[in-house]
Amino acid sequence: MNRLLIAIIVLLCLLQYRLWVGENSLPESFQIQEQIKLQRESNAKLIERNQVLKEEINDLRSGTEALEERARNELGMVKEGETFFRVVGEPQREAHLNR
């Protein structure tokens, strides 16, 4: 009976060791679950970004409005006969101090 009790205790200790420290342990499992969660969040952001880029590509292919808007904003282009005005004011900090 004594030997059986000792064998059960040794077996229990070995199983506990493997559960907490060994390969595929509980802390390692929690760490992997956290990595999976972070990767899924990253993937969701990238999917959203790709969707925005696909919509922008479709806009640029389908019509001239998006192309014209992009040329105006990024390249500073104007249509023939239009006048471009740039409003230059005081920097915000100086304007705030003068009040």
Side-chain angles (χ1 to χ4, degrees):
M1 179 84 173
N2 242 356
R3 288 183 183 180
L4 181 61
L5 184 61
I6 291 174
I8 291 174
I9 290 175
V10 169
L11 183 61
L12 182 65
C13 289
L14 288 174
L15 290 174
Q16 286 293 314
Y17 174 80
R18 184 158 185 218
L19 177 67
W20 296 106
V21 181
E23 185 179 334
N24 298 326
S25 65
L26 209 54
E28 186 178 328
S29 174
F30 291 143
Q31 182 182 14
I32 289 173
Q33 290 296 325
E34 183 66 25
Q35 288 176 353
I36 290 171
K37 177 184 170 191
L38 293 174
Q39 188 63 50
R40 284 188 176 152
E41 290 173 1
S42 175
N43 289 350
K45 288 178 185 177
L46 291 174
I47 288 170
E48 183 179 326
R49 178 176 166 249
N50 286 346
Q51 186 63 31
V52 169
L53 289 174
K54 285 178 185 179
E55 290 173 5
E56 187 175 341
I57 288 170
N58 288 336
D59 283 346
L60 289 172
R61 284 183 180 165
S62 66
T64 59
E65 291 178 13
L67 190 60
E68 182 179 329
E69 178 185 346
R70 196 161 189 159
R72 286 176 179 271
N73 291 335
E74 293 181 11
L75 303 175
M77 299 180 87
V78 294
K79 286 184 178 179
E80 191 173 319
E82 287 184 334
T83 306
F84 176 73
F85 293 98
R86 179 174 291 193
V87 179
V88 180
E90 294 181 34
Q92 289 293 329
R93 189 167 21 137
E94 291 178 16
H96 182 65
L97 294 175
N98 290 334
R99 290 183 185 178

